[in-house]
Each structure stands twice: as C-alpha cells, then as structure tokens.
Amino acid sequence: AVGAVLLDFATGIISALVQKKGIKSSKLWKTLFKLFFVTLFIMLLYSMDTEFHIIELHRIVAWLIVGFEAWSILENMAKITDHKIFRILKEFMEDKIEKQTGVKIGDDY
C-alpha cells in the first residue's frame, strides 16, 4: 500500500510537469498525510487482527487502498503518455466497476 501511494505520488508529479500545471506543496503535504494515515490505519487493523483472529482485515483494506491508488496511477499514465492502451484500460475498468456496482465513474461526477 505504501509503495502504491508513493508510485501514485511520483506519477502525479510527472503528470503535472507534462501538463505544465506545476507542482504544489499542498499536494505534497496531502500525500504525506495520506501516507501517514494509510500506514497508521493498516497497523491498527493489523493489531486488531492479531488480537481477535477473526479475519485478516488489514490485508483487505491494504488491497483496497492499492486498488484506488492503481486507478489514480492509471489516470496519471494516461495523461503522461496519452497512449491509447491507458485510455482503453481506464474505460475497461470503468465498465467493470459500473457492471459490478451499478456506480458510474467518469469525469462528469
């Protein structure tokens, strides 16, 4: 999860540079807070999981976080490269999410 957050951060910086948007310190702080709280939350869940031995909730949450970060990385890569494969993957994932959950994901929300 930490690696995914850091990779999202790196691709976000590259995307901002490619789009000539500039890099803002507020985005850096937002990422640092996200990294801190993601780590803290997973550690808390791990502590609870080792104590109660019911379900490995920390693993489920970590994979959910990785999924959200993967989505963001995919969006960044589409902006960085403007390559067709990233747009196709993004559309494919949007269709899958909509079919599975009924939730429409897009730029018009």
Side-chain angles (χ1 to χ4, degrees), residues 56-74:
E56 291 189 341
L57 191 57
H58 69 284
R59 290 182 190 263
I60 296 168
V61 169
W63 279 111
L64 281 172
I65 291 167
V66 168
F68 290 125
E69 295 302 315
W71 176 262
S72 181
I73 293 165
L74 182 62

Side-chain angles (χ1 to χ4, degrees), residues 74-106:
L74 182 62
E75 287 180 327
N76 290 337
M77 292 303 294
K79 291 174 187 173
I80 292 167
T81 65
D82 196 33
H83 196 276
K84 186 176 182 177
I85 189 69
F86 293 110
R87 289 191 304 273
I88 291 169
L89 284 171
K90 185 178 173 204
E91 290 171 11
F92 174 76
M93 289 177 66
E94 285 175 352
D95 289 343
K96 280 292 208 183
I97 290 169
E98 187 176 353
K99 286 178 185 174
Q100 293 290 325
T101 65
V103 175
K104 176 125 176 85
I105 296 177

Side-chain angles (χ1 to χ4, degrees), residues 24-89:
K24 300 177 183 175
S25 64
S26 62
K27 295 274 189 172
L28 172 64
W29 283 108
K30 184 179 175 184
T31 300
L32 289 175
F33 284 127
K34 178 170 62 169
L35 190 60
F36 174 75
F37 286 113
V38 160
T39 305
L40 189 66
F41 188 55
I42 292 173
M43 288 172 49
L44 173 68
L45 291 174
Y46 178 78
S47 301
M48 291 171 52
D49 289 344
T50 55
E51 185 65 30
F52 298 117
H53 306 291
I54 298 171
I55 185 173
E56 291 189 341
L57 191 57
H58 69 284
R59 290 182 190 263
I60 296 168
V61 169
W63 279 111
L64 281 172
I65 291 167
V66 168
F68 290 125
E69 295 302 315
W71 176 262
S72 181
I73 293 165
L74 182 62
E75 287 180 327
N76 290 337
M77 292 303 294
K79 291 174 187 173
I80 292 167
T81 65
D82 196 33
H83 196 276
K84 186 176 182 177
I85 189 69
F86 293 110
R87 289 191 304 273
I88 291 169
L89 284 171

